[in-house]
Amino acid sequence: MTVLDKFSLKGRVAIVTGANRGIGLGIAHAFVEAGANVVVAARDEARNQEAADRLNGIGPGTATAISTDVTDRQSVESLVQTVIAELGQIDVLVNNAGIGFHADALTLPEEDWDRLFNVNLKAVWTCCQVVGRHMVARKSGSIVNIGSMSGLIINRPQWHSPYGISKAAVHHLTRSLAAEWAPHRVRVNAIAPGYVKTEIADIDKPEYRHYWVEEVPMQRYASPDEIAPAALYLASDASTFATGSVMVVDGGYTLW
């Protein structure tokens, strides 16, 4: 096996949550190119199918759309059962689905806190647990959680403490499960991206440019295809001795 062969996902089945746009779509694209059979798992059925149609034909892998609400345990259970029935097994799980918003801690409504943590933390836990049972039973698997540099620092000038708190928790969840499941040959790692330009990001707003772009050592933001290779590394046999890691991909932002 050559070093490039170790990055191959040929014949493997990967679930990527929130894969119908943004970072998730970028990761799904990389996985299909690497030969994986990718399941696009998100709530919007039409957008899921559109993403799968775009992905099919770009590489040796395939893409399948399955409508899933990651905040609903029954929906996640159904996703896993369907994937195993139709594709045979689950080799890789990428917990990418997430939300964020700016908020003042003194005035944040409780329902907004609950909504964010249901998606950013509880859903990650649920997906890890449900898919993890299958992986532990098979003695094989790789889970990649999408955290954030916001789980390591306090962003400015905007306040969004619930988001950063949720991502810090995802990082610790990653380390905790990595330790517990290592004897079962299931690896759990995370990526902590910096500012990434997606269709829903407000990175281009003039009031944020100084802090979000000019203060980055590389003086730019990332595109989803610059985050995807890190996910491919952690999902593949190229990283067989890596577990419990939080890989920072932030253009150097957290160096200051």
Side-chain angles (χ1 to χ4, degrees), residues 4-246:
L4 292 180
D5 290 335
K6 292 182 178 181
F7 287 88
S8 173
L9 294 180
K10 183 178 180 180
R12 299 190 187 182
V13 177
I15 295 174
V16 183
T17 69
N20 59 21
R21 62 184 178 185
I23 293 174
L25 181 58
I27 291 172
H29 190 287
F31 282 12
V32 169
E33 285 191 338
N37 298 315
V38 176
V39 176
V40 177
R43 287 182 298 181
D44 191 323
E45 187 173 354
R47 189 184 285 269
N48 290 351
Q49 190 57 57
E50 180 183 345
D53 290 342
R54 288 174 57 186
L55 293 169
N56 280 310
I58 65 171
T62 64
T64 304
I66 300 180
S67 181
T68 308
D69 181 353
V70 293
T71 66
D72 183 329
R73 177 173 288 270
Q74 185 174 353
S75 181
V76 174
E77 295 274 9
S78 176
L79 166 69
V80 170
Q81 291 168 8
T82 300
V83 173
I84 293 172
E86 295 183 0
L87 298 175
Q89 78 273 340
I90 302 167
D91 301 290
V92 178
L93 167 66
V94 179
N95 282 307
N96 165 77
I99 60 173
F101 47 77
H102 301 175
D104 188 323
L106 292 177
T107 58
L108 177 75
E110 186 173 358
E111 56 269 26
D112 285 349
W113 170 279
D114 291 342
R115 179 169 62 93
L116 185 142
F117 272 79
N118 279 339
V119 177
N120 287 9
L121 182 59
K122 185 178 179 182
V124 174
W125 166 264
T126 299
C127 290
C128 283
Q129 186 182 59
V130 175
V131 175
R133 288 169 179 160
H134 168 72
M135 290 181 170
V136 166
R138 294 183 65 234
K139 298 289 185 182
S140 177
S142 177
I143 296 174
V144 182
N145 297 321
I146 305 303
S148 172
M149 70 173 184
S150 299
L152 304 169
I153 61 169
I154 306 302
N155 299 83
R156 60 196 180 109
Q158 81 291 2
W159 302 123
H160 61 179
S161 57
Y163 180 79
I165 295 165
S166 72
K167 292 301 186 177
V170 166
H171 296 170
H172 200 76
L173 179 155
T174 297
R175 291 188 287 264
S176 297
L177 298 184
E180 187 170 341
W181 295 346
H184 304 286
R185 298 175 62 187
V186 175
R187 298 184 298 109
V188 188
N189 292 286
I191 302 171
Y195 291 115
V196 181
K197 177 61 176 177
T198 66
E199 61 190 81
I200 61 172
D202 49 8
I203 287 174
D204 289 327
K205 287 190 174 181
E207 63 266 36
Y208 298 142
R209 180 172 179 81
H210 171 73
Y211 297 96
W212 292 11
V213 177
E214 293 173 1
E215 286 205 346
V216 180
M218 296 183 75
Q219 296 196 330
R220 66 178 181 85
Y221 44 71
S223 60
D225 63 354
E226 292 181 292
I227 307 302
L232 177 59
Y233 165 71
L234 294 173
S236 71
D237 287 345
S239 62
T240 49
F241 199 54
T243 197
S245 296
V246 179

